[in-house]
Amino acid sequence: MLPPRNPDLRLKARGANTRPEGRFERHTRIREDDGWDIPEDQALLRTEVTTEQPRSIITRNSSPDIGFDRSINPYRGCEHGCIYCYARPSHAWLGLSPGLDFETKITAKPQAAALLARELARPGYRPAPIALGTNTDPYQPVEARLAIMPGILRVLRDWNHPATLITRGRTVLRDLDLWAEMAARDQAMIGVSITTLDADLARALEPRAPAPAIRLRMIRDLSRAGIPVRVMAAPVIPVLTEPEIEAILTAAREAGASTASMIALRLPHEVAPLFRDWLERHRPGMAAHVMNRVQAMRGGRDNDPRFGHRFKGEGVEADLARQRFRLARRRLGYREGSPALDCSRFGPPPRAGDQLSLF
């Protein structure tokens, strides 16, 4: 059960409603009435951004479910506030709440580009595509002000290092020239996540993310610039967004997406109670139906963390959703799989005075 909402806070465009403690906390804070009937002014809950200076920026991954072995996340936390975000529990490692803290207490890594250049220059480094935005969106709202991504992209471009991106942030178009330059060398691909085409539902699910129509325009602009774009129907939420699978793929294909993927809703750790609370606040008449369908795909539980199952789900309904997706993808002419990215030209950028190659 989640703690009650703090009445002294005014929430504007937030996904979560409270600050439940993370699973590593030893103590739980409970708000108690002091008995004084004195009204207090509400304060608008604002986003706080702090900086971090990590020793490295490339995170290694060995999960058999994920098709990349390294990633970069310029931020911790995400102001988009998507209520279903599987990354929310990562804030618990910081002693912060996966609820409101995840979307209002953001940590930025402004030295990311310098760290990346240092790590790529190590003698033992071997190139493989780096995934950007795997835990939180690197083009979330604060990126428009901090501009960490252009530095990262310039390092990748100068080293001829391939990269992929997962985003729903329109600020990616600010860096269109850098992405297009890398794509011209077969060293870039961008995935744009579209959960629903219903603007009202999207506003409730993903309160500070761009509207679905804007994401479709992002796909159009990116693809016109020569950048391969994958539409990600993710997450597919039973009852709420599952009926839109074909519509999402159709709209994205018309906008220029060349590949497509889908991921079933995941509710790991603290995400499950947050999502249940969101259902009761925004879709109370559908809450039981949604969760019954989720559990039918997860072996009777809110979440199934097993490798090979956590992204797909199981059972008749999960199989039917995947079949619908595959048929729609084939009918609409999406290519199978993602284009291979070129690692063969990786190497240090030339310095002033270096002899340039003729070929």
Side-chain angles (χ1 to χ4, degrees), residues 12 22 26 47 54-55 57 89 97 99 102 131-132 153 169 191 193 199 269 282 298 319 355:
K12 184 177 180 181
R26 299 177 59 186
T47 302
R55 289 179 292 182
I57 196 65
S97 170
F102 178 79
L132 300 165
L153 293 177
S193 174
H269 302 299
H282 292 275
R298 299 296 184 183
D319 291 341
Q355 176 67 46

Side-chain angles (χ1 to χ4, degrees), residues 29-357:
R29 296 173 180 84
I30 300 176
R31 184 180 179 90
E32 292 285 350
D33 187 358
D34 60 8
W36 292 95
D37 189 17
I38 302 175
E40 297 187 29
D41 293 334
Q42 281 191 330
L44 177 64
L45 181 60
R46 301 185 183 277
T47 302
E48 301 174 14
V49 181
T50 58
T51 59
E52 174 185 0
Q53 295 185 348
R55 289 179 292 182
S56 63
I57 196 65
I58 299 178
T59 300
R60 299 287 176 165
N61 157 67
S62 59
S63 169
D65 285 338
I66 300 176
F68 55 86
D69 69 352
R70 64 200 73 183
S71 62
I72 293 175
N73 286 284
Y75 299 96
R76 298 179 188 269
C78 185
E79 196 177 4
H80 282 158
C82 304
I83 191 60
Y84 52 72
C85 183
Y86 62 83
R88 284 182 176 273
S90 64
H91 247 43
W93 289 98
L94 308 177
L96 297 173
S97 170
L100 284 170
D101 285 351
F102 178 79
E103 49 195 283
T104 63
K105 295 183 183 296
I106 311 299
T107 302
K109 306 172 186 178
Q111 302 302 317
L115 288 169
L116 176 59
R118 187 177 69 188
E119 291 179 51
L120 297 185
R122 289 174 179 167
Y125 183 82
R126 296 293 178 268
I130 289 179
L132 300 165
T134 57
N135 203 50
T136 63
D137 198 324
Y139 285 108
Q140 60 180 285
V142 69
E143 169 63 17
R145 175 169 58 88
L146 296 185
I148 297 175
M149 281 296 295
I152 292 175
L153 293 177
R154 291 188 190 102
V155 171
L156 293 170
R157 177 201 62 188
D158 293 346
W159 281 80
N160 277 298
H161 196 297
T164 63
L165 169 71
I166 299 174
T167 188
R168 62 193 63 189
R170 67 189 303 174
T171 307
V172 66
L173 297 178
R174 178 201 60 196
D175 300 337
L176 190 63
D177 56 339
L178 290 168
W179 282 108
E181 189 175 351
M182 293 173 63
R185 305 174 186 173
D186 296 323
Q187 293 176 342
M189 180 175 180
I190 293 178
V192 177
S193 174
I194 299 180
T195 313
T196 176
L197 298 177
D198 183 330
D200 291 334
L201 178 57
R203 190 178 301 112
L205 279 169
E206 311 152 341
R208 299 203 175 197
I214 293 177
R215 288 182 235 178
L216 290 172
R217 288 200 293 271
M218 288 164 50
I219 292 176
R220 182 196 61 205
D221 293 346
L222 292 167
S223 61
R224 285 181 178 176
I227 303 164
V229 180
R230 175 179 59 176
V231 59
M232 304 175 67
V236 173
I237 304 174
V239 183
L240 284 182
T241 68
E242 179 193 356
E244 298 185 67
I245 290 175
E246 292 85 355
I248 291 171
L249 295 188
T250 300
R253 184 67 175 143
E254 292 173 351
S258 57
T259 60
S261 63
M262 66 168 278
I263 297 177
L265 175 68
R266 297 171 53 205
L267 299 175
H269 302 299
E270 294 92 343
V271 183
L274 288 167
F275 184 71
R276 284 178 174 274
D277 177 71
W278 181 92
L279 283 172
E280 293 296 339
R281 287 185 287 117
H282 292 275
R283 296 294 189 275
M286 305 170 68
H289 189 189
V290 172
M291 291 310 302
N292 286 341
R293 291 278 302 278
V294 167
Q295 292 181 344
M297 297 169 58
R298 299 296 184 183
R301 297 177 291 173
D302 287 352
N303 188 59
D304 182 355
R306 293 177 298 163
F307 290 138
H309 295 267
R310 55 184 180 147
F311 291 143
K312 299 177 181 178
E314 60 183 3
V316 174
E317 294 183 355
D319 291 341
L320 286 174
R322 285 194 294 272
Q323 185 177 357
R324 286 173 51 200
F325 173 82
R326 287 193 296 265
L327 289 173
R329 182 175 61 183
R330 186 183 311 139
R331 173 176 56 83
L332 292 166
Y334 282 98
R335 62 176 291 170
E336 295 286 338
S338 299
L341 299 184
D342 184 9
C343 297
S344 65
R345 288 181 278 185
F346 172 78
R351 296 171 298 180
D354 284 354
Q355 176 67 46
L356 300 180
S357 171

